[in-house]
Amino acid sequence: PAAAGRAPGPPDGGWGWMVLFGAFISIGFAYAFPKGLAIFFKEIQDFFGTSYSEIAWISSIMLATTYGAGPISSILVNRYGSRPVVMFGGLLCGVGMISAAFCTSILQLYVCVGFITGFGLALNLQPSVIIIGKYFLKRRPMANGLAMAGSPVMLCTLAPLNQFLFENFGWRGSFLILGAILLNCCVAGALFRPIGAGTALVKTQVAEEGKDALKGKITEDGPMENKTEEEGGKDCFEKVNQYLDFSLFKHRGFLIYLVGNVLMFLGFFAPIVFLAPYAKHTGIDEYSAAFLLSILAVVDMVARPTTGIIANSRWVRPRIQYFFSFAIAFNGACHLLVPLASSYTGLVVYSSFFGLAFGMVCAMLFETLMDLVGAARFTSAVGLVTIAECCTILLGPPIGGILIDTFGDYKYMFIKCGAVMVLAGTFLFIMNYYNYRMLAKEEKERKTKEEDPKAVRTENEGKKNWNKDSIQDGPELEPLKEKGEGLKKEMNGT
């Protein structure tokens, strides 16, 4: 059969729902935990006598480490699989928060909460997103939306829980309990059964039938462990390129996505980090301030799966990049209107719209990347994108804190974040329009060459052209690629 020697395809169900549940927990902690810690910032600031910008570095370092460690996480997933990586990440999260309970300076909190816990969250985030793409194909946008809904569910729970823990146990006791709670990521990781487990049986059958021995060494899912004699002479860069595909930097759609997201993250997380402190600054009590995060989380909880269902529809999915651009610009518009929210009622309305816009962006954040580069190159793409995004994620909240310290008012921080996100959404919309036009033009030229008998090339020239097209084109042309691969196999006699 044509599929002999290949790993099983995405089941779009079955054990995939258990994997989705584990991803729901892991992604929820990875995204919600840095935001939930904002409840303790005012008290930690008073305890150590620090400024707004200094205390904001805790969340910034944690978020930057979570994203900056993306390539490391991707390499580990390619080498060992998702399950052990997530379980080890959960262990690191617990150790980091428990160690933070005994810190005596703000610098020690940077290390324990920012670096150790942030690195553990990185080992939870990327593997969870990657394995969803292996278990789902037709239902992938919906599955991504449901998995991303873990963030608002966890935030909705953590915001009042953290306030309760602080009032009863203080911030040190709360960190001990939160460290124990984070160990549940190990349980979630245990659900990530490798989808390529049945590949070995298929390869054995192919070998017994006398097929080409090289076919038995090829697997599409899981780590590449078979080495050839030529690998001994490879330099360091080529070995790293086995796990991180640097040819993505020649991919037009990937570069557009990368630039737009790097700009977006400069104003993405700061409003959530400072929402509760802003409410307290205006004279609102602690529980009401924490309740704003719960309102945001509840709306976010509904928005993510709903966005996933809408994005999976036949009207939106072919042009999902436009929908993503609109969500980013809508998010920025919400922040620009914050100065009009001068009362608690206004902040409730802002939190509701912010939760809707935030959920829309997060539900499509990784789906749009997979739509551009395809599932086969998605693991490398996630790692390369997150390392580029970590710089703006690191600088976003501290810049907001500096604006607050300088002007003594939070509105300038929200205006800065809103303007940056509107600019990022506009950039992505324009450039994606250009990308879609170029893809349509390239597809038309390819069809013209296929129909023109004078355009027939030799076998070697055809291979070179096909490799070039596979690098530049997005998933919209995957049916043509599959047809071309079948033709190549017939030409080679396989």
Side-chain angles (χ1 to χ4, degrees):
R6 301 176 62 180
D12 274 303
W15 187 258
W17 298 116
M18 297 302 298
V19 172
L20 181 61
F21 176 70
F24 178 90
I25 296 174
S26 298
I27 293 174
F29 277 121
Y31 276 119
F33 196 78
K35 307 163 195 171
L37 286 181
I39 299 295
F40 302 102
F41 281 0
K42 184 66 176 176
E43 288 71 28
I44 294 175
Q45 180 182 353
D46 296 337
F47 185 86
F48 290 111
T50 59
S51 64
Y52 283 104
S53 58
E54 288 176 321
I55 200 69
W57 278 105
I58 296 177
S59 288
S60 292
I61 293 174
M62 180 185 291
L63 289 168
T65 305
T66 301
Y67 279 78
I72 299 175
S73 180
S74 296
I75 290 173
L76 291 175
V77 171
N78 280 330
R79 183 66 181 85
Y80 300 105
S82 294
R83 176 186 280 174
V85 174
V86 173
M87 295 179 72
F88 179 66
L91 183 62
L92 277 182
C93 291
V95 170
M97 289 305 298
I98 292 171
S99 301
F102 302 97
C103 291
T104 57
S105 68
I106 193 70
L107 291 177
Q108 292 175 2
L109 282 177
Y110 291 163
V111 174
C112 295
V113 179
F115 289 108
I116 299 178
T117 306
F119 185 64
L121 294 177
L123 298 184
N124 276 270
L125 178 59
Q126 277 84 2
S128 302
V129 175
I130 290 166
I131 200 166
I132 289 175
K134 293 183 178 181
Y135 269 89
F136 292 91
L137 178 61
K138 294 180 180 178
R139 300 175 178 173
R140 194 180 66 210
M142 182 180 67
N144 276 318
L146 291 172
M148 289 296 179
S151 174
V153 171
M154 291 296 179
L155 182 59
C156 184
T157 305
L158 285 174
L161 175 64
N162 287 349
Q163 189 64 43
F164 172 80
L165 292 176
F166 172 74
E167 292 188 354
N168 289 274
F169 304 102
W171 68 270
R172 293 186 184 275
S174 300
F175 280 14
L176 281 173
I177 297 172
L178 290 173
I181 292 175
L182 282 173
L183 291 175
N184 285 285
C185 292
C186 299
V187 183
L191 297 173
F192 292 173
R193 187 169 65 194
I195 194 173
T199 308
L201 179 61
V202 177
K203 290 192 295 183
T204 303
Q205 294 173 350
V206 173
E208 289 176 355
E209 292 172 3
K211 297 290 184 180
D212 189 0
L214 183 60
K215 275 190 175 181
K217 296 180 182 180
I218 299 176
T219 56
E220 293 186 0
D221 294 74
M224 300 193 317
E225 297 178 355
N226 300 304
K227 297 183 178 181
T228 62
E229 295 178 358
E230 296 178 358
E231 287 188 10
K234 288 184 177 180
D235 58 19
C236 181
F237 179 80
E238 289 175 325
K239 291 180 179 179
V240 172
N241 199 45
Q242 289 180 340
Y243 302 105
L244 287 177
D245 187 2
F246 289 100
S247 66
L248 284 166
F249 288 107
K250 298 179 181 179
H251 192 291
R252 184 175 57 245
F254 174 79
L255 291 177
I256 293 171
Y257 178 92
L258 181 64
V259 174
N261 276 256
V262 166
L263 182 61
M264 177 194 72
F265 275 107
L266 193 60
F268 191 60
F269 287 114
I272 288 187
V273 171
F274 287 106
L275 179 58
Y278 173 49
K280 294 179 183 179
H281 177 75
T282 58
I284 297 171
D285 62 275
E286 287 82 359
Y287 271 102
S288 297
F291 186 64
L292 290 174
L293 288 175
S294 298
I295 294 173
L296 186 152
V298 169
V299 178
D300 191 1
M301 191 187 313
V302 178
R304 296 198 189 201
T306 304
T307 302
I309 294 172
I310 295 173
N312 200 40
S313 65
R314 59 189 179 92
W315 298 283
V316 178
R317 191 170 185 181
R319 293 294 182 265
I320 194 173
Q321 305 296 333
Y322 293 146
F323 194 27
F324 182 55
S325 305
F326 166 76
I328 295 174
F330 176 50
N331 199 320
C334 292
H335 303 325
L336 291 175
L337 298 176
V338 167
L340 301 178
S342 57
S343 63
Y344 184 70
T345 304
L347 288 177
V348 169
V349 174
Y350 163 71
S351 299
S352 301
F353 279 97
F354 184 20
L356 174 62
F358 193 85
M360 291 173 65
V361 174
C362 291
M364 295 183 288
L365 190 61
F366 294 107
E367 173 59 31
T368 49
L369 178 59
M370 192 177 292
D371 176 72
L372 288 169
V373 303
R377 307 170 78 184
F378 180 66
T379 304
S380 295
V382 171
L384 295 174
V385 165
T386 51
I387 189 63
E389 291 171 347
C390 74
C391 297
T392 50
I393 290 172
L394 179 66
L395 295 176
I399 291 175
I402 292 173
L403 291 174
I404 296 170
D405 291 331
T406 302
F407 297 101
D409 197 337
Y410 283 79
K411 69 179 182 180
Y412 297 102
M413 184 273 299
F414 285 105
I415 292 173
K416 182 270 296 183
C417 295
V420 166
M421 295 199 69
V422 169
L423 178 62
T426 305
F427 169 82
L428 283 174
F429 187 89
I430 296 173
M431 295 307 296
N432 280 315
Y433 174 76
Y434 166 76
N435 187 37
Y436 279 133
R437 290 288 300 272
M438 292 300 296
L439 286 173
K441 181 180 178 182
E442 290 164 1
E443 183 179 3
K444 184 177 179 180
E445 291 177 353
R446 184 180 295 106
K447 288 182 178 179
T448 303
K449 289 181 180 179
E450 289 177 355
E451 294 173 356
D452 186 4
K454 296 181 180 180
V456 177
R457 299 288 187 268
T458 63
E459 181 178 347
N460 292 332
E461 290 175 342
K463 288 182 179 179
K464 290 180 181 179
N465 291 336
W466 186 261
N467 290 334
K468 181 179 179 181
D469 291 339
S470 64
I471 290 175
Q472 293 180 348
D473 296 331
E476 293 84 358
L477 305 180
E478 284 180 0
L480 291 176
K481 294 179 185 177
E482 293 175 359
K483 180 179 178 181
E485 288 176 356
L487 292 173
K488 286 199 299 180
K489 289 180 179 179
E490 292 177 4
M491 290 168 63
N492 295 332
T494 59

